[in-house]
């Protein structure tokens, strides 16, 4: 598996990541979502450097030239719901892309702090021979992402698989490298470890706010 870590080199992405991590600044939810979107745009640009751009003859207002253009648009696949603002950044850059959507989440932790993954929803076009960008803001253990990938087998085999995350743990990156070695992992930051609840440390908290939603879902019915 190839690994790209954006914050290993200086760029404006460092500021966006700083604001996402900061426990006070991240309380501005509009800014939080906007920073996720902007980091999605930056990673989309980095991933685009690996694509093919064959030339074809076109006419400008002044001349005829051979100009490179994108050979094939990718398929964008965010994991709902935390992945939506991050996905918007990719959709802005790959504005002709096809999209799919997958709903997956951790069930409540058991007594030994282990947890199961529920896959609730999946819809997407055929992946056969296509370039797939799997979009999930937080790559912690990698178990939910692996379960999503395994569920995609019935939709075909992509020619290229890119996994995009804002924050990945070293453990999650190692796990994906073992289980999906053909993938390319792109992340803004690679954090050193997980805590006892399998949350990324130092991380940025819960990108989707799912913990609150889960505790209160019974009040909706």
């Amino acid at each position: 598996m190839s690994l790209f870590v954006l914050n290993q080199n200086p760029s404006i992405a460092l500021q966006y990541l700083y604001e996402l991590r900061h426990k006070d600044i991240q309380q501005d939810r509009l800014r939080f979502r906007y920073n996720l979107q902007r980091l999605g745009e930056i990673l989309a640009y980095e991933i685009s450097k690996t694509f093919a751009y064959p030339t074809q003859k076109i006419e400008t207002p002044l001349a005829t030239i051979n100009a490179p253009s994108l050979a094939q648009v990718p398929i964008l696949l965010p994991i709902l719901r935390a992945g939506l603002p991050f996905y918007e950044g990719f959709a802005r850059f790959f504005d002709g892309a096809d999209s799919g959507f997958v709903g997956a989440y951790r069930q409540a932790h058991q007594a030994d702090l282990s947890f199961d993954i529920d896959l609730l929803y999946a819809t997407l076009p055929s992946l056969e021979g296509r370039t797939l960008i799997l979009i999930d803001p937080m790559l912690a253990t990698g178990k939910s992402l692996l379960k999503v990938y395994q569920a995609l087998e019935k939709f075909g085999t992509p020619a290229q698989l890119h996994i995009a995350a804002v924050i990945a743990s070293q453990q999650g990156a190692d796990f994906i490298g073992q289980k999906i070695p053909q993938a390319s992992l792109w992340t803004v930051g690679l954090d050193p470890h997980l805590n006892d609840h399998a949350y990324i440390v130092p991380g940025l908290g819960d990108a989707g706010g799912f913990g609150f939603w889960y505790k209160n879902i019974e009040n909706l019915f």
Side-chain angles (χ1 to χ4, degrees), residues 2 54-56 75 161 191 193:
S2 65
T55 60
Q56 55 182 314
I75 295 173
L161 172 62
D191 284 2
H193 65 277

Side-chain angles (χ1 to χ4, degrees), residues 26-78:
Q26 66 174 222
Q27 297 307 309
D28 182 343
R29 291 321 221 178
L30 179 61
R31 190 170 191 82
F32 189 87
R33 291 192 296 270
Y34 186 40
N35 282 330
L36 285 176
Q37 178 182 307
R38 293 196 288 192
L39 289 173
E41 292 175 348
I42 294 172
L43 278 188
Y45 172 73
E46 294 294 339
I47 293 173
S48 76
K49 295 177 183 178
T50 70
F51 294 168
Y53 297 89
T55 60
Q56 55 182 314
K57 185 174 291 186
I58 63 169
E59 292 185 6
T60 78
L62 299 177
T64 299
I65 62 170
N66 290 318
S69 63
L70 184 62
Q72 184 188 77
V73 293
I75 295 173
L76 306 179
L77 183 62

Side-chain angles (χ1 to χ4, degrees), residues 76-88 99-106 117-124 133-138 144-145 148 152 164 206-210 213:
L76 306 179
L77 183 62
I79 297 180
L80 302 175
R81 64 186 167 91
L84 286 178
F86 194 36
Y87 156 81
E88 289 173 3
S99 293
F101 298 91
V102 171
Y105 74 96
R106 295 182 185 182
I117 304 296
D118 262 2
L119 186 63
L120 300 179
Y121 176 83
T123 181
L124 60 158
I133 304 178
L134 188 53
I135 301 166
D136 191 6
M138 306 294 285
S144 60
L145 196 144
V148 167
L152 300 180
D206 184 357
F210 177 76
W213 178 82

Side-chain angles (χ1 to χ4, degrees), residues 1-217:
M1 180 189 75
S2 65
L3 174 64
F4 174 88
V5 184
L6 183 62
N7 72 349
Q8 289 181 346
N9 294 294
S11 76
I12 191 60
L14 297 178
Q15 176 65 26
Y16 304 150
L17 182 59
Y18 163 86
E19 294 179 6
L20 283 176
R21 289 190 190 271
H22 196 292
K23 67 181 183 65
D24 297 324
I25 297 176
Q26 66 174 222
Q27 297 307 309
D28 182 343
R29 291 321 221 178
L30 179 61
R31 190 170 191 82
F32 189 87
R33 291 192 296 270
Y34 186 40
N35 282 330
L36 285 176
Q37 178 182 307
R38 293 196 288 192
L39 289 173
E41 292 175 348
I42 294 172
L43 278 188
Y45 172 73
E46 294 294 339
I47 293 173
S48 76
K49 295 177 183 178
T50 70
F51 294 168
Y53 297 89
T55 60
Q56 55 182 314
K57 185 174 291 186
I58 63 169
E59 292 185 6
T60 78
L62 299 177
T64 299
I65 62 170
N66 290 318
S69 63
L70 184 62
Q72 184 188 77
V73 293
I75 295 173
L76 306 179
L77 183 62
I79 297 180
L80 302 175
R81 64 186 167 91
L84 286 178
F86 194 36
Y87 156 81
E88 289 173 3
F90 285 87
R92 282 178 178 271
F93 263 53
F94 300 119
D95 54 6
D98 297 317
S99 293
F101 298 91
V102 171
Y105 74 96
R106 295 182 185 182
Q107 292 183 352
H109 284 82
Q110 301 170 12
D112 62 356
L113 298 182
S114 64
F115 56 87
D116 293 323
I117 304 296
D118 262 2
L119 186 63
L120 300 179
Y121 176 83
T123 181
L124 60 158
S126 172
L127 303 177
E128 192 65 35
R130 300 289 300 278
T131 295
L132 174 65
I133 304 178
L134 188 53
I135 301 166
D136 191 6
M138 306 294 285
L139 175 60
T141 66
K143 292 180 180 178
S144 60
L145 196 144
L146 176 63
K147 187 165 185 177
V148 167
Y149 176 74
Q150 292 171 336
L152 300 180
E153 292 180 352
K154 63 182 178 181
F155 295 97
T157 303
Q160 298 180 43
L161 172 62
H162 300 278
I163 297 170
V166 176
I167 302 290
S169 74
Q170 185 65 60
Q171 179 179 328
D174 292 342
F175 179 80
I176 293 301
Q178 294 170 1
K179 300 295 185 179
I180 319 177
Q182 72 275 24
S184 296
L185 175 59
W186 305 76
T187 185
V188 181
L190 185 65
D191 284 2
H193 65 277
L194 302 173
N195 66 14
D196 291 340
H197 292 274
Y199 296 143
I200 303 172
V201 180
L204 51 79
D206 184 357
F210 177 76
F212 176 83
W213 178 82
Y214 181 83
K215 293 173 185 175
N216 290 276
I217 190 170

